[in-house]
Amino acid sequence: MPHLTPYQLQTFQEKGYLILENYLTPHQISSLISETNSLLSTFDLSTHPLTQFTTGDDDENPSRAHVGDDYFLTSGDKVRFFFEPDAIKDGKLTKPKEKAVNKIGHALHDLSPPFEAITLSEQNAAIARDLGFADPRVLQSMVICKQPSIGGAVPPHRDSEFLYTSPPSAVGFWIALQDAGVGNATLGFYPGSHRRRSGGVKRRFVRKYNETGECVGTEFVENTGDQFPKGLEVEEDNGDFGEPEVSEIKAGSLVLIHGNVLHKSERNTGDKSRYAYTFHVIEGGEGWEYDGRNWLQPPEQGFSKLYR
C-alpha cells in the first residue's frame, strides 16, 4: 500500500501538517459527495431540535456558547445534522435544510458504507503505521459543509484539546471533497506550533456537570495532564507563532493534521460550498488513556480499529 516517504514524514514532523494530493480518485470523491447530498436531502427536519454548531471561543460572537445539548453529546455513534447559526432566525431556518447544515457527524465511518470504505482502509492504516501508531482508533468522523456565504469560521485551535488522550495522540485526517481556496474557507496552519513550549495542550473541551452530577453541556477547562505526545522534541519560544500558512487544497487531497498544531479555517464568503470529510485517529495502545471527561465518549464496543 502507499506509504509516506521520509521527506513527507519529515515535513509532517516539522510543520505539523502535510498535504497529500490526489489521495482519493474522482470516483471516490463522487461517491462521498453523492452520499452527502443524499443524507442532506433525506433527514427528517420535523423532529430535529435545530441544534446549531458553535465553537464557543469565537471572539466575534462571544455570546454563542459551544454546542452542548443532548443531540450533540449523544452523536458519537450516530449520524446527526448540525446547523449554521446564521441559517436560523427566530427559531426557524432561513434557507432550505440542504443549504443550512454546518456539518454531519459523528459516526459516518461506522454507519455510512461509502464513508466506512474510505475511512477504515488499508491506505489509511499504512499511513497510521508510518506515523508510529500501535493500535489506531477512529472517531469523530464528519462532513463539514461550509455552506455558501454563511459557512462560519473556525477559530485557531488544536484537535487534541477536543479528543484528549494522556499523553496526547490525536491526528486529523482531513479530505477535501471540493476545492478549498482563499475565500471559500480553506485551512490556515501555524507551522511548527505543535513543537513549541507555549503550544502545548493547555485547555481541554469536556462535558460540564452540575452539583448533582448531571451533564449540563460542555466547557473548556485547564489541562493538568500531559501537554505533548510521547517522544516529541519541544522547543522553547516566545509564544509568537507568526502568520498562518493558508493553503490551496484541491478536491481529493488528504491533509494530515498533528493534534497539537494550531490551525483554523475562515468563513466561506464565496458562492460555492466547500465540502470536506474529516475523521480523527487516536492511540488505543497500552500506555495511552482516552479521558472520561471528553465530550465524545466511546460506544459500548469501543472506537473503531483501523488495523484489521
Side-chain angles (χ1 to χ4, degrees):
M1 296 300 299
H3 59 88
L4 300 179
T5 67
Y7 175 76
Q8 289 170 333
L9 274 172
Q10 181 181 1
T11 299
F12 179 74
Q13 291 162 358
E14 291 181 353
K15 285 192 168 187
Y17 75 99
L18 175 68
I19 301 175
L20 301 174
E21 295 185 346
N22 301 313
Y23 193 70
L24 296 189
T25 66
H27 175 74
Q28 288 173 315
I29 297 169
S30 177
S31 172
L32 296 188
I33 290 179
S34 293
E35 174 73 350
T36 297
N37 289 333
S38 176
L39 291 169
L40 287 172
S41 64
T42 58
F43 79 92
D44 187 1
L45 188 60
S46 67
T47 59
H48 197 286
L50 295 187
T51 298
Q52 304 168 39
F53 182 77
T54 50
T55 63
D57 54 358
D58 185 353
D59 291 338
E60 295 182 5
N61 298 285
S63 63
R64 289 177 176 170
H66 196 293
V67 61
D69 63 5
D70 185 69
Y71 184 82
F72 173 75
L73 290 172
T74 59
S75 65
D77 58 353
K78 300 175 180 67
V79 175
R80 288 186 167 168
F81 303 81
F82 303 90
F83 289 103
E84 287 284 357
D86 289 347
I88 296 177
K89 184 177 182 180
D90 298 329
K92 296 181 179 180
L93 292 183
T94 60
K95 294 178 177 291
K97 64 176 185 174
E98 297 87 349
K99 299 294 185 182
V101 170
N102 169 291
K103 69 173 181 175
I104 309 170
H106 289 92
L108 291 168
H109 64 286
D110 279 333
L111 301 177
S112 165
F115 284 104
E116 180 183 18
I118 294 298
T119 309
L120 305 180
S121 68
E122 282 300 321
Q123 193 175 18
N124 292 331
I127 286 180
R129 289 189 183 94
D130 288 339
L131 295 178
F133 279 94
D135 182 12
R137 303 298 182 96
V138 175
L139 69 169
Q140 192 180 272
S141 57
M142 51 193 170
V143 170
I144 303 173
C145 298
K146 288 288 188 177
Q147 304 288 0
S149 75
I150 63 168
V154 177
H157 66 284
R158 298 172 175 85
D159 289 347
S160 284
E161 298 172 343
F162 296 85
L163 304 170
Y164 183 76
T165 61
S166 180
S169 63
V171 173
F173 284 58
W174 190 98
I175 301 173
L177 301 183
Q178 297 172 327
D179 291 347
V182 176
N184 75 328
T186 191
L187 301 179
F189 294 92
Y190 295 81
S193 56
H194 64 301
R195 295 183 290 108
R196 308 290 178 82
R197 180 67 60 186
S198 63
V201 181
K202 292 182 166 51
R203 65 173 189 170
R204 293 186 37 226
F205 181 68
V206 300
R207 297 184 176 216
K208 181 179 181 179
Y209 296 91
N210 62 16
E211 315 78 54
T212 65
E214 177 188 9
C215 182
V216 292
T218 56
E219 62 180 343
F220 284 104
V221 297
E222 180 184 1
N223 177 28
T224 59
D226 293 329
Q227 295 189 6
F228 296 95
K230 288 182 179 180
L232 185 69
E233 295 185 8
V234 180
E235 304 171 353
E236 300 299 331
D237 69 304
N238 61 6
D240 181 8
F241 297 131
E243 293 297 316
E245 289 185 353
V246 178
S247 302
E248 295 277 347
I249 306 171
K250 296 297 183 183
S253 298
L254 167 66
V255 186
L256 294 175
I257 304 174
H258 192 287
N260 274 53
V261 76
L262 192 66
H263 62 287
K264 65 177 185 175
S265 68
E266 300 296 342
R267 184 180 181 89
N268 186 359
T269 59
D271 58 2
K272 297 179 180 179
S273 59
R274 190 227 66 185
Y275 287 178
Y277 173 57
T278 184
F279 61 91
H280 290 80
V281 173
I282 58 166
E283 182 59 81
E286 186 175 349
W288 285 265
E289 181 180 355
Y290 188 77
D291 198 277
R293 296 177 66 195
N294 286 342
W295 82 267
L296 188 152
Q297 288 300 303
E300 185 176 345
Q301 70 273 19
F303 293 129
S304 300
K305 288 177 171 285
L306 189 52
Y307 296 163
R308 300 301 182 99

